[in-house]
Amino acid sequence: MGSLFLMIYRVVDNRLKDLLDEKAAHYNQAWFIEKDPVSVPHMFSRKEDCEISGFLTATLAWGQRGMILKKARLLMEWMDLQPYAFVTGAGDRELQQLSQFVYRTFNGIDCQYFVSALREIYLHHGGLETVFSNAFLKGNSVFSALSAFRELFLSFRPMDRTGKHVANVMKGSSGKRLNMFLRWMVRKDGVVDLGLWPQMDAAKLMMPLDVHVGRVARNLGLLNRQQDDWKAVEELTLQLRSFRPEDPVFYDYALFGMGVFEKDLPK
């Protein structure tokens, strides 16, 4: 009886993996880029421009995708389509213009602080890749990288309200937008993600868990935890790592794609 159960389990498990592989391969295509926030860092060729535009776009990535793209591209225009040059060299007048930027609860004060903090990071801490990669290598985990990044990023005396725009995984946040940003920067398959940060291991990336991914994952039996928090991220990523140990967040394409673009989810 035990061997029969194991056989059935393996058949179901293999079918689920086949489904996820098929869906991920379908959505991990060049056509996906145009209407996704990842299209913003794809606008640039310079590594630092990709990093900064990607980080700021990921910060805004909640709500309707069309509005996210509109606001992220507007912000890039306000930065003269040269985000690295703007971050490292903008004067008071240019920074003052950012006080007019608003997207949902992310307002001008937040925007000005983000640009100022990025300036500090690029001029005095080696840039975003160095900060994330060093923390990742030190702690051998994305959790340690996200924790260390938040501590540094919020160390330049922001207003209290600004801190809510940087995920606090130490307090259980899923870190969806930062995990998505890391997927863009680390995964390198020549399709959607940019793969600019070789020091971080794609096998250690964590799933960008949002309401769409969580809903589909629970529907498919991949996730039992009901809260979309860091424990859920760990549970889901562990399950997906069993299917694709070297690249578990490949399946972000499958779960997100099914959740956003497909009405009838498989049972």
Side-chain angles (χ1 to χ4, degrees):
M1 188 69 176
S3 60
L4 177 60
F5 175 82
L6 183 60
M7 185 184 305
I8 294 172
Y9 176 82
R10 285 175 175 170
V11 169
V12 172
D13 206 42
N14 288 337
R15 286 178 178 174
L16 180 54
K17 181 182 184 304
D18 289 344
L19 170 68
L20 293 174
D21 284 337
E22 175 188 346
K23 294 295 185 180
H26 172 70
Y27 289 108
N28 185 30
Q29 297 291 334
W31 61 262
F32 182 87
I33 297 173
E34 181 181 359
K35 295 184 179 181
D36 188 78
V38 76
S39 64
V40 178
H42 270 282
M43 294 166 54
F44 304 98
S45 57
R46 182 172 183 168
K47 172 179 171 289
E48 292 84 359
D49 287 335
C50 295
E51 294 169 348
I52 293 170
S53 65
F55 174 72
L56 292 173
T57 299
T59 299
L60 302 178
W62 52 300
Q64 296 182 349
R65 295 170 85 215
M67 188 57 68
I68 294 167
L69 288 175
K70 178 180 178 181
K71 287 294 187 175
R73 289 169 180 166
L74 175 64
L75 183 55
M76 293 305 105
E77 291 173 7
W78 284 10
M79 301 173 84
D80 301 320
L81 296 178
Q82 299 182 76
Y84 176 68
F86 187 94
V87 160
T88 56
D92 292 340
R93 188 180 68 173
E94 288 85 0
L95 289 175
Q96 182 59 33
Q97 180 182 358
L98 298 181
S99 67
Q100 304 302 311
F101 186 84
V102 177
Y103 175 64
R104 304 190 74 167
T105 64
F106 186 89
N107 67 20
I109 293 172
D110 305 316
C111 192
Q112 288 175 315
Y113 179 81
F114 266 61
V115 169
S116 298
L118 286 170
R119 174 181 294 179
E120 290 291 324
I121 285 173
Y122 275 91
L123 294 183
H124 304 295
H125 297 273
L128 284 172
E129 179 185 10
T130 297
V131 171
F132 274 103
S133 295
N134 285 351
F136 171 81
L137 294 171
K138 183 177 181 180
N140 195 34
S141 72
V142 165
F143 184 88
S144 64
L146 297 184
S147 301
F149 170 75
R150 186 178 196 275
E151 182 178 1
L152 175 62
F153 192 80
L154 296 178
S155 68
F156 310 112
R157 295 186 296 179
M159 294 187 66
D160 290 342
R161 57 159 289 115
T162 301
K164 67 183 179 182
H165 295 293
V166 185
N168 190 348
V169 295
M170 294 287 289
K171 290 189 174 181
S173 169
S174 71
K176 179 260 181 180
R177 288 171 285 173
L178 287 176
N179 280 322
M180 182 179 68
F181 171 64
L182 290 181
R183 196 202 82 201
W184 294 349
M185 295 296 110
V186 176
R187 283 194 76 249
K188 187 174 184 178
D189 63 6
V191 187
V192 177
D193 296 316
L194 290 85
L196 300 175
W197 293 358
Q199 293 188 73
M200 294 185 68
D201 186 359
K204 297 288 184 67
L205 291 177
M206 305 298 285
M207 277 292 292
L209 176 62
D210 65 6
V211 63
H212 305 292
V213 170
R215 176 169 55 86
V216 177
R218 293 181 182 96
N219 182 274
L220 295 176
L222 292 166
L223 178 61
N224 291 316
R225 188 170 177 81
Q226 294 305 305
Q227 299 97 316
D228 288 337
D229 57 10
W230 188 258
K231 288 184 178 180
V233 171
E234 291 180 325
E235 179 187 340
L236 178 57
T237 306
L238 182 64
Q239 178 64 57
L240 296 173
R241 195 169 280 132
S242 71
F243 294 151
R244 196 178 177 99
E246 75 284 4
D247 186 20
V249 301
F250 171 67
Y251 295 118
D252 186 29
Y253 292 100
L255 300 179
F256 179 80
M258 284 191 281
V260 172
F261 301 110
E262 302 181 21
K263 293 182 180 179
D264 299 321
L265 298 179
K267 301 294 185 182

